[in-house]
């Protein structure tokens, strides 16, 4: 992977509990930083509101002191680009969402792409797996690399116990059958949810 020309900063929405947490991050940004917030829908509303002026005017208003002596000061913030990721777009307030100039929806991975993800992960984790085994896993990963990597770890455990040198399609099928994961990548809980939805 090539290095970004611009500085990079990342945070998780759940770890930013109050305005002060976010103000500290924003104050430390270098010019042209790419600031990535994962699970951005988990930001508290006060933190969202602090980002309004930071995104539009590259400044933030902070309160100094308490009670009658408290005063508000405007602090400049280096120009930055904010990128937010969420699986729950509806949890972002309309005013906040409208401040993002570009909104993209990522699609699920196809099986061939996931096969490459699995082969790369297996190489990093030093798990022996053939192309057919990687594809068999990819077909059950529901288009999601996180699920693909989780299944790879589980199947690798089976291979270790069985003394298999490589994870094959046959071993994948047997391991996932024992884990009660069907050909669509659904486990018992997933199927129960779908049954309840269908019946209701």
């Amino acid at each position: 992977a090539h290095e970004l020309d611009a500085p990079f900063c990342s945070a998780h929405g759940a770890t930013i509990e109050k305005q002060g947490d976010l103000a500290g991050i924003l104050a430390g940004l270098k010019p042209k930083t790419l600031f990535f917030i994962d699970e951005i829908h988990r930001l508290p509303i006060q933190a969202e509101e602090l980002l309004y002026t930071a995104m539009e005017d590259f400044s933030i208003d902070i309160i100094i002191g308490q009670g009658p002596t408290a005063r508000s000061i405007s602090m400049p913030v280096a120009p930055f680009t904010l990128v937010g990721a969420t699986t729950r777009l509806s949890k972002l307030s309309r005013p906040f969402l409208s401040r993002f100039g570009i909104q993209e929806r990522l699609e699920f991975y196809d099986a061939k792409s996931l096969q490459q993800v699995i082969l790369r992960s297996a190489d990093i984790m030093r798990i022996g797996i053939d192309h057919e085994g990687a594809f068999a896993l990819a077909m059950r990963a529901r288009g999601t690399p996180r699920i693909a990597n989780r299944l790879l770890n589980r199947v690798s455990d089976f291979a270790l116990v069985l003394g298999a040198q490589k994870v094959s399609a046959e071993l994948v099928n047997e391991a996932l059958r024992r884990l009660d994961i069907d050909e669509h990548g659904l486990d018992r809980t997933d199927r129960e949810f779908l049954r309840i939805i269908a019946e209701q």
Side-chain angles (χ1 to χ4, degrees):
H2 68 281
E3 291 186 10
L4 292 171
D5 293 332
F8 178 78
C9 175
S10 66
H12 194 284
T15 63
I16 299 171
E17 297 179 351
K18 50 188 184 294
Q19 278 189 337
D21 299 334
L22 184 58
I25 295 171
L26 293 171
L29 295 181
K30 293 182 172 66
K32 299 183 180 178
T33 294
L34 179 65
F35 180 26
F36 174 72
I37 303 179
D38 195 17
E39 302 287 337
I40 198 168
H41 65 271
R42 296 183 67 178
L43 282 177
I45 192 70
Q46 297 89 349
E48 270 191 23
E49 290 170 353
L50 186 70
L51 275 170
Y52 293 170
T53 55
M55 292 167 75
E56 292 177 340
D57 306 322
F58 299 115
S59 69
I60 53 175
D61 295 323
I62 28 182
I63 306 296
I64 304 288
Q66 292 182 343
T69 61
R71 58 194 175 92
S72 174
I73 63 164
S74 182
M75 185 178 80
V77 173
F80 69 98
T81 299
L82 177 64
V83 177
T86 181
T87 53
R88 300 183 182 180
L89 197 63
S90 60
K91 289 208 167 189
L92 293 177
S93 68
R94 285 268 182 209
F96 189 40
L97 193 56
S98 68
R99 283 169 167 81
F100 286 89
I102 301 172
Q103 297 174 23
E104 295 287 346
R105 184 183 182 89
L106 301 180
E107 300 299 327
F108 289 108
Y109 285 62
D110 60 35
K112 287 300 260 184
S113 298
L114 276 177
Q115 181 187 35
Q116 294 305 309
V117 169
I118 291 165
L119 289 170
R120 180 180 179 278
S121 295
D123 186 52
I124 291 168
M125 295 186 280
R126 297 181 180 173
I127 297 170
I129 188 169
D130 60 30
H131 282 71
E132 293 75 18
F135 192 75
L137 271 179
M139 292 295 290
R140 291 172 169 87
R142 299 187 301 194
T144 311
R146 177 175 37 84
I147 295 174
N149 287 329
R150 180 172 56 81
L151 293 179
L152 174 63
N153 275 310
R154 297 293 70 77
V155 170
S156 171
D157 292 341
F158 273 87
L160 186 65
V161 170
L162 297 173
Q165 296 298 312
K166 273 198 171 186
V167 174
S168 64
E170 184 181 354
L171 192 143
V172 167
N173 292 335
E174 177 61 19
L176 296 186
R177 183 189 67 76
R178 291 191 191 188
L179 291 169
D180 201 13
I181 295 172
D182 67 18
E183 65 274 13
H184 304 293
L186 303 174
D187 61 23
R188 188 182 310 135
T189 305
D190 297 323
R191 292 192 295 273
E192 186 64 17
F193 276 132
L194 290 174
R195 184 189 64 76
I196 291 168
I197 291 168
E199 290 178 356
Q200 296 298 323

